[in-house]
Amino acid sequence: FSLLQSESRMFNGVEKDCPSPTEKLARKESLKLQKQNYRQEKKRAAKELFSALKDPSVVIMSNWLKIRGSLKSWTKLWCALKPGVLLIYKTPKTDHWVGTVLLNACKLIERPSKKDGFCFKLYHPLDKSIWAVKGPKGENVGSITQPLPSNYLIFRAASESDGRCWMDALELALSCSSLYKLTAKAGREGDIIIQAHTKTPQLIRHKFIAMLLLYNHSHQTVKAPHDHTPSCSSPKRLMGDKCHCCCLPFVSCQSNSGRLTEESDMDQSDELSPGPQATAYVEQGPEEMAEAGESSQVETVSEENKGLIWTLLKQLRPGMDLSKVVLPTFILEPRSFLDKLSDYYYHADLLSQAALEESAYGRIKQVLRWYLSGFYKKPKGLKKPYNPILGETFRCCWLHPQTDSCTFYIAEQVSHHPPISAFYVCNKKDGFSISGSILAKSKFYGNSLSAILDGKARLLFLSRDEEYVITMPYAHCKGILYGTMTLELGGKISIECEKTKCAAELEFKLKPFLGGSCSVNQISGKIHVGEELLATVDGHWDSEVFIHEKRSGQQETLWNPSPEVRNHRLKRQVVQLDQQGEFESERLWRHVTSAIMDRDQNRATQEKFVLEDAQRKEARERGDKPWCPRLFHQDPVTSDWTYKHIDLRPWDPECCLVQFEKDGVIQTHERSQRRHNGLSYSHSWASQQKVKPTHESSDNEGKTHTHTQTHTHTHTHTHTQNTHS
């Protein structure tokens, strides 16, 4: 009977027959402590949430959106998106609160619409209310507006790009509702820390965003974007000002922050050291590209401009170098030569694929395909880019959606007489970098002239230690005095790898005197390994190129810039104009470009003269002192120009977290400490002073590379680009 009673009490949830007074007191004290902690935790959570709601700096994105009411009419309201919540106001001043949407139970979906703009919908999948009962300041009643639905909201953005940015922002905020944690440490309240408990199987941009929040948590502020400015028609971006693209991280331009790239899986136990924020990039607007064929390379000069050309030609003699001749502005393409050199990287994803090819022949085929992809983008008519000013710089990048990586491009004019442009291209995660310099020379021959790009680009596959040396064709313009002015590419180029003995040779053929339209822009070439010929190549460099395999006898298309290929090429990201330095290309030439776009040749000539006169004055003041470039240095032995912050170590997924760019320095952020070849590398981002130690690391071949550091230890990849003038 006693045993049955004990079992009965046990099944009824009774722990003991007769707890002692000491045990009762201990249990009471424990329950009291638990209740106390429970109340404190509730207060802390409420306090931190209200702190985030009230803090104007903790904003992912804010802008005007149209919201459809219950009566199917639209109202324009100000929406401010924060981690986990969407606040709706009547005005940007946030004095007239309308409502707060709780995102933790919401789903997001794009909504078809016949009207202009872009629609998307936030809704509760079980038709429950999505609204909070109080406002950010404790308001109980929102401002009066048209009645809004309780279980969903339909939004309309002004354009598709705006709407895509909002959907990106909302997806981030939806993730943040379960991932973020507000904490106060060292007297600082409101720091944002994203704890990556799970790997989110979203698009690459979401990984970038999560990494960005991790990286920026030490800076405390994630500011709301500004309104649009007349100089930028791009829509605003997540955590950034006037952003446009939909597949890159979004940051505050007020704090000069920017995009990061990261490895998708990050160990949450590895804290990121505080560091300088990266440069903010935005997607470039629509580009003007000529069609394939001869018609886009022919131009008829007006009678007014013919007089200017004759005046210019009277000063010239056959064989004369045109680098010191001031050219009229009507023949100028409104961008710098440094910018034009980046045309080779709109298909940098082909290099990402080349690095993965197992055979040496497969790699050089893919490199040749990438090389051909840089020529079809050409301006309409005969145009020449600006001659860069000494010390001028240009930077941009491309995001690779397939590999979750980013290709960065840095260029600087390192010499004016002779005009030398140095460049560096890098995608460390995908394992390639390109570096080199171009000496641009022009020769006048009477009725024609040639623009010769004297220099070499060196493509390096980091994990394979393979270097491909690449040369460039020349641009030939004929019909200056009589006939039709026509621009073509000519000359022989080579792509050679000493390690694998693979080489590709191409000849760009000028149109023969009696040739038809099919003989324009022709190329032919071959690929061989050592002495063995493996394939021949022929076609047109601005259209389809075929490769004939010698062993199999098969023919296939090596490259074809079809409309589909052009539409899927990588989108170039550039630095916002107001975030550029005084000597960055777009900002430096902005007045000349504006005048050319307005077809005001007199103003363009005047603005161009102002820049050239300032350059001459600076040269006189400098005297015999040599010019010291900011980002590149010249090897005293080989005379090659090298990027100062180059880092040729392969990407290590165990240590490398983020590749980013700041003030022209391409860097790789690693975990707090790594060991490489027996040496320990640590970060010191706490100091604002620049330290320039050097570290030497040896690769498998025993070669030594020197890495120059700023206050951050930098891992740097350099893209080197080929271009035609």
Side-chain angles (χ1 to χ4, degrees):
F1 180 78
S2 176
L3 180 62
L4 290 175
Q5 277 188 327
S6 176
E7 290 179 331
S8 175
R9 285 193 295 268
M10 182 177 65
F11 283 117
N12 289 328
V14 181
E15 294 180 5
K16 288 188 177 182
D17 293 344
C18 298
S20 66
T22 304
E23 290 174 331
K24 287 183 178 180
L25 180 61
R27 186 187 304 171
K28 184 176 181 180
E29 291 296 329
S30 175
L31 182 61
K32 181 179 179 181
L33 182 61
Q34 290 177 21
K35 288 182 177 180
Q36 183 180 354
N37 292 337
Y38 167 74
R39 288 190 294 268
Q40 289 178 352
E41 182 63 22
K42 284 178 60 179
K43 290 180 180 179
R44 185 195 63 80
K47 180 180 178 181
E48 290 178 347
L49 179 59
F50 274 101
S51 176
L53 292 176
K54 294 177 182 179
D55 190 348
S57 66
V58 186
V59 177
I60 298 176
M61 188 174 185
S62 61
N63 205 343
W64 291 102
L65 284 174
K66 288 185 178 180
I67 303 178
R68 198 177 83 164
S70 303
L71 303 178
K72 297 187 178 181
S73 57
W74 296 84
T75 302
K76 194 174 183 179
L77 298 171
W78 181 261
C79 299
L81 183 61
K82 297 193 174 191
V85 294
L86 175 65
L87 302 174
I88 303 175
Y89 301 90
K90 293 186 72 173
T91 66
K93 296 182 180 180
T94 67
D95 293 332
H96 302 91
W97 171 72
V98 173
T100 300
V101 178
L102 299 174
L103 300 177
N104 60 333
C106 287
K107 298 295 182 182
L108 177 67
I109 190 172
E110 181 180 342
R111 190 175 187 273
S113 176
K114 294 181 180 179
K115 297 181 180 180
D116 294 335
F118 181 90
C119 280
F120 55 92
K121 182 177 181 178
L122 268 178
Y123 67 98
H124 195 294
L126 299 179
D127 291 337
K128 300 296 183 181
S129 175
I130 62 175
W131 298 97
V133 296
K134 287 189 177 183
K137 299 179 181 179
E139 301 97 331
N140 292 316
V141 180
S143 295
I144 298 175
T145 182
Q146 65 162 318
L148 298 174
S150 62
N151 57 345
Y152 70 89
L153 280 181
I154 298 175
F155 300 87
R156 181 184 298 279
S159 65
E160 182 176 355
S161 54
D162 270 336
R164 295 289 181 192
C165 284
W166 269 105
M167 289 193 69
D168 284 339
L170 284 163
E171 289 180 16
L172 169 63
L174 287 169
S175 300
C176 287
S177 64
S178 60
L179 293 180
Y180 88 102
K181 175 184 177 183
L182 292 173
T183 182
K185 53 184 179 180
R188 297 178 177 179
E189 294 187 1
D191 293 358
I192 297 181
I193 300 178
I194 303 299
Q195 294 184 338
H197 298 296
T198 59
K199 177 182 177 182
T200 308
Q202 300 295 332
L203 297 177
I204 172 59
R205 53 181 174 268
H206 305 136
K207 301 175 185 176
F208 277 63
I209 295 167
M211 185 62 198
L212 178 65
L213 292 177
L214 273 164
Y215 186 77
N216 284 340
H217 90 271
S218 63
H219 298 277
Q220 289 86 46
T221 57
V222 184
K223 297 184 180 297
H226 316 308
D227 291 331
H228 297 282
T229 63
S231 62
C232 178
S233 60
S234 302
K236 288 177 280 188
R237 239 357 246 265
L238 302 182
M239 290 188 281
D241 178 33
K242 299 167 285 186
C243 294
H244 176 68
C245 64
C246 63
C247 56
L248 289 173
F250 322 107
V251 290
S252 168
C253 70
Q254 296 174 352
S255 60
N256 197 26
S257 53
R259 177 195 13 252
L260 305 174
T261 63
E262 61 122 3
E263 186 71 15
S264 57
D265 279 328
M266 178 182 156
D267 187 357
Q268 67 185 50
S269 65
D270 226 336
E271 286 193 19
L272 287 174
S273 305
Q277 297 184 16
T279 300
Y281 284 87
V282 296
E283 185 177 319
Q284 190 179 32
E287 301 173 87
E288 182 183 57
M289 280 197 298
E291 298 298 326
E294 186 180 14
S295 59
S296 64
Q297 298 159 229
V298 174
E299 184 164 346
T300 302
V301 183
S302 65
E303 292 299 326
E304 176 187 359
N305 292 334
K306 279 184 179 179
L308 294 174
I309 290 181
W310 275 108
T311 303
L312 176 64
L313 293 179
K314 289 177 183 178
Q315 310 170 31
L316 306 180
R317 297 292 181 270
M320 184 176 179
D321 187 353
L322 301 183
S323 62
K324 298 183 180 181
V325 177
V326 179
L327 299 176
T329 55
F330 73 87
I331 68 169
L332 294 179
E333 182 184 0
R335 60 171 176 159
S336 173
F337 179 66
L338 299 181
D339 183 348
K340 191 174 183 68
L341 282 174
S342 69
D343 286 353
Y344 279 81
Y345 301 96
Y346 285 90
H347 294 280
D349 51 336
L350 296 177
L351 289 177
S352 301
Q353 298 172 27
L356 300 177
E357 290 285 342
E358 291 300 326
S359 68
Y361 175 61
R363 287 193 293 276
I364 197 165
K365 273 180 59 177
Q366 195 72 359
V367 169
L368 182 58
R369 182 179 286 116
W370 160 77
Y371 182 81
L372 292 169
S373 72
F375 291 102
Y376 72 86
K377 184 181 184 297
K378 51 188 177 181
K380 293 181 179 179
L382 275 67
K383 301 295 180 184
K384 177 188 178 302
Y386 308 138
N387 291 328
I389 287 176
L390 186 62
E392 179 183 334
T393 60
F394 181 80
R395 49 185 171 155
C396 61
C397 64
W398 296 261
L399 183 70
H400 298 233
Q402 299 298 323
T403 57
D404 301 3
S405 63
C406 190
T407 294
F408 291 94
Y409 169 82
I410 303 292
E412 181 178 8
Q413 190 71 8
V414 295
S415 174
H416 186 61
H417 291 303
I420 300 177
S421 306
F423 54 91
Y424 178 70
V425 182
C426 176
N427 187 325
K428 186 165 187 174
K429 186 175 180 182
D430 287 357
F432 68 86
S433 72
I434 308 173
S435 60
S437 60
I438 296 292
L439 168 59
K441 300 185 294 184
S442 300
K443 294 291 184 179
F444 176 64
Y445 304 110
N447 190 43
S448 63
L449 62 86
S450 295
I452 303 168
L453 302 181
D454 187 9
K456 295 179 180 178
R458 300 180 182 275
L459 165 63
L460 178 66
F461 290 132
L462 303 177
S463 61
R464 301 180 184 275
D465 193 28
E466 287 181 5
E467 184 179 74
Y468 295 77
V469 181
I470 305 169
T471 59
M472 293 296 300
Y474 65 87
H476 185 73
C477 179
K478 60 185 179 182
I480 298 175
L481 299 179
Y482 54 88
T484 304
M485 289 185 66
T486 308
L487 180 66
E488 300 178 81
L489 296 181
K492 295 182 179 181
I493 69 96
S494 63
I495 303 174
E496 299 176 339
C497 177
E498 182 180 357
K499 182 177 180 179
T500 63
K501 306 302 180 184
C502 289
E505 298 174 356
L506 284 181
E507 181 182 3
F508 290 75
K509 300 178 180 180
L510 300 179
K511 180 182 177 182
F513 183 72
L514 298 177
S517 58
C518 63
S519 61
V520 177
N521 300 336
Q522 279 190 319
I523 60 170
S524 65
K526 57 186 178 181
I527 302 176
H528 55 85
V529 177
E531 299 297 327
E532 182 183 3
L533 178 64
L534 296 183
T536 59
V537 177
D538 64 79
H540 298 80
W541 56 258
D542 62 341
S543 58
E544 198 164 9
V545 179
F546 301 96
I547 184 170
H548 307 263
E549 303 285 353
K550 287 297 182 181
R551 291 179 179 176
S552 64
Q554 295 181 348
Q555 174 181 302
E556 63 180 15
T557 299
L558 178 65
W559 171 249
N560 182 17
S562 62
E564 182 181 1
V565 170
R566 296 188 183 205
N567 291 335
H568 287 85
R569 70 185 192 148
L570 303 179
K571 303 296 184 182
R572 191 174 78 162
Q573 317 296 320
V574 295
V575 183
Q576 195 74 18
L577 185 63
D578 56 2
Q579 300 299 308
Q580 294 181 14
E582 289 295 330
F583 277 84
E584 291 198 61
S585 296
E586 186 181 4
R587 186 170 180 178
L588 184 67
W589 293 94
R590 64 188 184 279
H591 298 305
V592 181
T593 300
S594 175
I596 292 177
M597 300 303 290
D598 294 340
R599 300 178 183 273
D600 188 342
Q601 300 300 331
N602 292 330
R603 180 161 61 93
T605 302
Q606 182 181 357
E607 294 291 351
K608 184 168 176 284
F609 174 79
V610 170
L611 293 178
E612 292 167 346
D613 188 57
Q615 185 174 218
R616 286 189 288 266
K617 181 180 178 181
E618 183 181 355
R620 288 193 299 268
E621 293 176 352
R622 190 170 61 252
D624 296 333
K625 294 180 180 179
W627 172 260
C628 182
R630 186 170 68 89
L631 299 172
F632 293 83
H633 63 83
Q634 189 175 25
D635 190 305
V637 178
T638 63
S639 297
D640 292 338
W641 288 92
T642 308
Y643 184 60
K644 289 184 178 180
H645 310 283
I646 192 169
D647 178 12
L648 301 180
R649 290 175 296 169
W651 178 272
D652 184 354
E654 296 296 325
C655 301
C656 300
L657 298 176
V658 180
Q659 186 185 19
F660 64 100
E661 179 272 329
K662 173 66 175 175
D663 295 333
V665 180
I666 304 173
Q667 311 173 40
T668 300
H669 180 55
E670 300 179 344
R671 303 190 192 280
S672 57
Q673 192 170 17
R674 69 174 280 180
R675 297 193 66 82
H676 181 76
N677 289 350
L679 298 178
S680 176
Y681 296 85
S682 60
H683 301 288
S684 56
W685 279 350
S687 172
Q688 295 301 319
Q689 293 182 339
K690 291 187 176 181
V691 185
K692 294 184 178 180
T694 58
H695 298 281
E696 294 183 353
S697 62
S698 300
D699 57 17
N700 296 331
E701 297 295 322
K703 300 177 183 177
T704 300
H705 306 288
T706 302
H707 310 291
T708 305
Q709 287 183 272
T710 58
H711 57 289
T712 309
H713 178 68
T714 59
H715 298 217
T716 328
H717 274 311
T718 331
H719 320 199
T720 307
Q721 290 184 329
N722 312 335
T723 61
H724 57 281
S725 77

